[in-house]
Coordinates of all heavy atoms in Angstrom, one line a residue:
R315 N 0.3 -2.8 10.3 CA -0.5 -3.7 11.2 C -1.0 -4.9 10.4 O -1.2 -4.8 9.1 CB -1.7 -3.0 11.8 CG -2.8 -2.6 10.9 CD -4.0 -2.1 11.7 NE -4.7 -3.2 12.4 CZ -5.8 -3.0 13.1 NH1 -6.4 -1.8 13.2 NH2 -6.4 -4.0 13.7
T316 N -1.3 -5.9 11.1 CA -2.1 -7.0 10.5 C -3.5 -7.0 11.2 O -3.7 -6.2 12.1 CB -1.4 -8.4 10.8 OG1 -1.4 -8.6 12.2 CG2 0.0 -8.4 10.2
F317 N -4.4 -7.8 10.7 CA -5.8 -7.7 11.2 C -6.2 -9.1 11.7 O -5.8 -10.1 11.2 CB -6.7 -7.3 10.0 CG -6.5 -5.9 9.6 CD1 -5.5 -5.5 8.7 CD2 -7.3 -4.9 10.2 CE1 -5.4 -4.2 8.3 CE2 -7.2 -3.6 9.8 CZ -6.2 -3.2 8.9
Q318 N -7.1 -9.0 12.7 CA -7.6 -10.2 13.3 C -8.4 -11.0 12.3 O -8.2 -12.2 12.2 CB -8.6 -9.8 14.5 CG -9.2 -11.0 15.2 CD -10.1 -10.5 16.3 OE1 -10.1 -9.4 16.7 NE2 -10.8 -11.4 16.9
N319 N -9.2 -10.3 11.5 CA -9.9 -11.0 10.3 C -9.1 -10.6 9.1 O -8.9 -9.4 8.8 CB -11.3 -10.5 10.2 CG -12.1 -10.8 11.4 OD1 -12.1 -12.0 11.9 ND2 -12.9 -9.9 12.0
L320 N -8.6 -11.5 8.4 CA -7.7 -11.3 7.3 C -8.2 -10.2 6.3 O -9.4 -10.2 6.0 CB -7.4 -12.6 6.5 CG -6.6 -13.7 7.3 CD1 -6.6 -15.0 6.5 CD2 -5.2 -13.2 7.5
A321 N -7.3 -9.3 5.9 CA -7.7 -8.3 5.0 C -7.0 -8.4 3.7 O -6.5 -7.4 3.1 CB -7.5 -6.9 5.7
L322 N -6.8 -9.6 3.2 CA -6.1 -9.8 1.9 C -7.1 -9.6 0.7 O -8.3 -9.6 0.9 CB -5.5 -11.2 1.8 CG -4.5 -11.6 2.9 CD1 -4.1 -13.0 2.8 CD2 -3.3 -10.6 2.8
F323 N -6.5 -9.5 -0.5 CA -7.3 -9.5 -1.7 C -7.2 -10.9 -2.2 O -6.3 -11.3 -2.9 CB -6.7 -8.5 -2.7 CG -6.8 -7.1 -2.2 CD1 -5.7 -6.5 -1.6 CD2 -7.9 -6.3 -2.4 CE1 -5.7 -5.2 -1.1 CE2 -8.0 -5.0 -1.9 CZ -6.9 -4.4 -1.3
P324 N -8.3 -11.7 -2.0 CA -8.2 -13.2 -2.3 C -8.0 -13.5 -3.7 O -7.4 -14.6 -4.1 CB -9.5 -13.7 -1.7 CG -10.4 -12.6 -1.6 CD -9.6 -11.4 -1.4
S325 N -8.5 -12.7 -4.7 CA -8.3 -13.0 -6.1 C -7.0 -12.6 -6.7 O -6.6 -13.0 -7.8 CB -9.5 -12.4 -6.9 OG -9.4 -10.9 -6.8
L326 N -6.3 -11.8 -5.9 CA -4.9 -11.4 -6.4 C -3.9 -12.4 -6.0 O -4.1 -13.1 -5.0 CB -4.6 -10.0 -5.9 CG -5.4 -8.8 -6.3 CD1 -4.9 -7.5 -5.7 CD2 -5.5 -8.7 -7.8
T327 N -2.8 -12.4 -6.7 CA -1.7 -13.4 -6.3 C -1.1 -12.9 -5.0 O -1.2 -11.8 -4.5 CB -0.6 -13.4 -7.3 OG1 0.1 -12.1 -7.4 CG2 -1.2 -13.7 -8.7
V328 N -0.4 -13.9 -4.4 CA 0.3 -13.6 -3.1 C 1.3 -12.5 -3.3 O 1.4 -11.6 -2.5 CB 1.0 -14.9 -2.6 CG1 2.0 -14.6 -1.5 CG2 0.0 -15.9 -2.2
L329 N 2.0 -12.5 -4.4 CA 3.0 -11.5 -4.7 C 2.3 -10.1 -4.8 O 2.8 -9.1 -4.3 CB 3.8 -11.8 -6.0 CG 4.8 -10.8 -6.5 CD1 5.9 -10.5 -5.4 CD2 5.4 -11.2 -7.8
D330 N 1.2 -10.0 -5.5 CA 0.5 -8.7 -5.7 C 0.0 -8.2 -4.4 O 0.1 -7.0 -4.1 CB -0.6 -8.9 -6.7 CG -0.2 -9.0 -8.1 OD1 1.0 -8.5 -8.4 OD2 -0.9 -9.5 -9.0
N331 N -0.4 -9.1 -3.5 CA -0.8 -8.7 -2.2 C 0.3 -8.0 -1.4 O 0.1 -7.0 -0.7 CB -1.4 -9.8 -1.4 CG -2.9 -10.0 -1.5 OD1 -3.7 -9.4 -0.9 ND2 -3.3 -10.9 -2.5
V332 N 1.5 -8.6 -1.5 CA 2.6 -8.0 -0.8 C 3.1 -6.7 -1.5 O 3.4 -5.8 -0.8 CB 3.8 -9.0 -0.8 CG1 5.0 -8.4 -0.1 CG2 3.4 -10.3 0.0
L333 N 3.0 -6.7 -2.8 CA 3.4 -5.4 -3.5 C 2.5 -4.3 -3.1 O 2.9 -3.1 -2.9 CB 3.3 -5.6 -5.0 CG 4.5 -6.5 -5.6 CD1 4.1 -6.8 -7.1 CD2 5.8 -5.7 -5.5
I334 N 1.2 -4.6 -2.9 CA 0.3 -3.5 -2.4 C 0.7 -3.0 -1.1 O 0.6 -1.8 -0.8 CB -1.2 -4.1 -2.4 CG1 -1.7 -4.3 -3.8 CG2 -2.1 -3.2 -1.6 CD1 -3.0 -5.1 -3.8
G335 N 1.2 -3.8 -0.2 CA 1.7 -3.4 1.1 C 2.8 -2.4 1.0 O 2.9 -1.5 1.9
G336 N 3.7 -2.5 0.0 CA 4.8 -1.5 -0.1 C 4.5 -0.3 -1.0 O 5.4 0.5 -1.2
H337 N 3.2 -0.2 -1.4 CA 2.9 0.9 -2.4 C 3.2 2.2 -1.9 O 3.7 3.1 -2.6 CB 1.4 0.8 -2.8 CG 1.0 1.8 -3.8 ND1 1.4 1.7 -5.1 CD2 0.3 2.9 -3.7 CE1 1.0 2.8 -5.8 NE2 0.3 3.5 -5.0
C338 N 2.9 2.5 -0.6 CA 3.1 3.9 -0.1 C 4.6 4.2 0.0 O 5.0 5.4 0.2 CB 2.5 4.1 1.3 SG 3.3 3.3 2.7
R339 N 5.5 3.2 -0.1 CA 7.0 3.5 -0.2 C 7.4 3.9 -1.6 O 8.6 4.3 -1.8 CB 7.7 2.3 0.3 CG 7.6 2.1 1.8 CD 8.0 3.2 2.7 NE 8.0 3.0 4.1 CZ 8.0 3.9 5.0 NH1 8.0 5.2 4.6 NH2 7.9 3.6 6.3
M340 N 6.6 3.7 -2.6 CA 6.9 4.0 -4.0 C 6.8 5.5 -4.2 O 5.9 6.2 -3.7 CB 6.0 3.3 -4.9 CG 6.0 1.8 -4.8 SD 7.5 1.1 -5.6 CE 7.0 1.3 -7.4
R341 N 7.7 6.1 -4.9 CA 7.7 7.5 -5.2 C 7.4 7.7 -6.6 O 8.2 7.3 -7.5 CB 9.1 8.2 -4.8 CG 9.4 8.1 -3.3 CD 8.5 9.0 -2.5 NE 8.8 8.9 -1.1 CZ 8.1 8.2 -0.2 NH1 7.2 7.4 -0.7 NH2 8.5 8.2 1.0
G342 N 6.3 8.2 -6.9 CA 5.9 8.4 -8.3 C 4.8 9.4 -8.5 O 4.3 9.9 -7.5
D343 N 4.4 9.6 -9.7 CA 3.3 10.5 -10.0 C 2.7 10.0 -11.3 O 3.2 9.2 -12.0 CB 3.8 12.0 -10.2 CG 4.9 12.1 -11.3 OD1 4.5 12.1 -12.5 OD2 6.1 12.2 -10.9
F344 N 1.5 10.5 -11.6 CA 0.7 10.0 -12.7 C 1.4 10.2 -14.0 O 1.5 9.3 -14.8 CB -0.7 10.8 -12.8 CG -1.5 10.4 -14.0 CD1 -2.2 9.2 -14.0 CD2 -1.5 11.2 -15.1 CE1 -3.0 8.8 -15.1 CE2 -2.3 10.8 -16.2 CZ -3.0 9.7 -16.2
L345 N 2.0 11.3 -14.3 CA 2.7 11.6 -15.5 C 3.9 10.7 -15.8 O 4.1 10.1 -16.8 CB 3.1 13.0 -15.6 CG 3.8 13.5 -17.0 CD1 2.8 13.3 -18.1 CD2 4.3 14.9 -16.9
S346 N 4.7 10.5 -14.7 CA 5.9 9.6 -14.8 C 5.5 8.2 -15.1 O 6.1 7.5 -16.0 CB 6.7 9.7 -13.5 OG 7.2 11.0 -13.3
E347 N 4.4 7.7 -14.4 CA 4.0 6.3 -14.7 C 3.3 6.2 -16.0 O 3.5 5.1 -16.7 CB 3.1 5.9 -13.5 CG 3.8 5.8 -12.2 CD 2.9 5.3 -11.1 OE1 1.8 4.9 -11.4 OE2 3.4 5.4 -9.9
A348 N 2.6 7.2 -16.5 CA 1.9 7.1 -17.8 C 3.0 7.1 -18.9 O 2.8 6.4 -19.9 CB 1.0 8.3 -17.9
L349 N 4.1 7.8 -18.7 CA 5.1 7.8 -19.7 C 6.1 6.7 -19.6 O 7.0 6.5 -20.4 CB 5.9 9.2 -19.7 CG 5.0 10.4 -20.0 CD1 5.9 11.7 -19.8 CD2 4.6 10.4 -21.5
R350 N 5.9 5.9 -18.5 CA 6.8 4.8 -18.2 C 8.3 5.3 -18.3 O 9.1 4.7 -19.0 CB 6.6 3.6 -19.2 CG 5.2 3.1 -19.2 CD 4.9 2.5 -17.8 NE 5.8 1.4 -17.4 CZ 5.8 0.8 -16.2 NH1 5.0 1.3 -15.3 NH2 6.6 -0.1 -16.0

């Protein structure tokens, strides 16, 4: 959904705002990300 009153993160870049939107489609875990 989108919101009537914008719910963006104003200090983050436009790209980072969009990346946040797709975060729940990422498959990962703490250990894998910590070990890169």
Side-chain angles (χ1 to χ4, degrees):
R315 72 170 289 183
T316 64
F317 290 85
Q318 180 177 354
N319 298 313
L320 292 171
L322 299 175
F323 297 94
S325 63
L326 296 183
T327 67
V328 167
L329 177 60
D330 284 340
N331 270 276
V332 177
L333 286 169
I334 288 170
H337 181 73
C338 76
R339 291 299 185 199
M340 299 282 286
R341 296 291 180 262
D343 57 78
F344 176 78
L345 183 60
S346 298
E347 294 184 9
L349 295 175
R350 300 298 299 169

